[in-house]
Amino acid sequence: MLVLERKYGDFIVLNDNIFITVFDPSQSGKVKIAIEAPRDVSIVRGELLSETDDVRIKLEEIKKR
């Protein structure tokens, strides 16, 4: 796992064709992110995948870090 600190407007590029941009930081500590990816790349929020045991276990491991 790669953990990064990003500021408003910063972005990350994955595989030369996926862009993740940080925007709209709020006082509540939450940020909004924008993900630009090719149509054939599936993007699903973690809570929607948490119904399967293997994904739920992985999410719990990540939350403990």
Side-chain angles (χ1 to χ4, degrees):
M1 174 190 297
L2 174 64
V3 178
L4 300 170
E5 235 178 68
R6 302 279 75 203
K7 295 182 288 187
Y8 172 76
D10 286 351
F11 63 94
I12 300 164
V13 180
L14 306 173
N15 203 33
D16 293 329
N17 62 351
I18 300 171
F19 297 85
I20 302 173
T21 306
V22 178
F23 71 100
D24 196 20
S26 69
Q27 298 299 328
S28 68
K30 294 182 179 180
V31 296
K32 292 183 180 179
I33 60 169
I35 302 171
E36 297 177 59
R39 290 191 183 270
D40 63 331
V41 174
S42 177
I43 302 171
V44 181
R45 296 187 330 256
E47 65 271 17
L48 298 178
L49 294 174
S50 63
E51 295 176 4
T52 61
D53 288 338
D54 55 336
V55 173
R56 188 173 58 243
I57 291 168
K58 184 66 176 173
L59 289 172
E60 289 303 318
E61 289 174 3
I62 292 170
K63 288 178 184 178
K64 290 177 184 176
R65 294 180 188 173

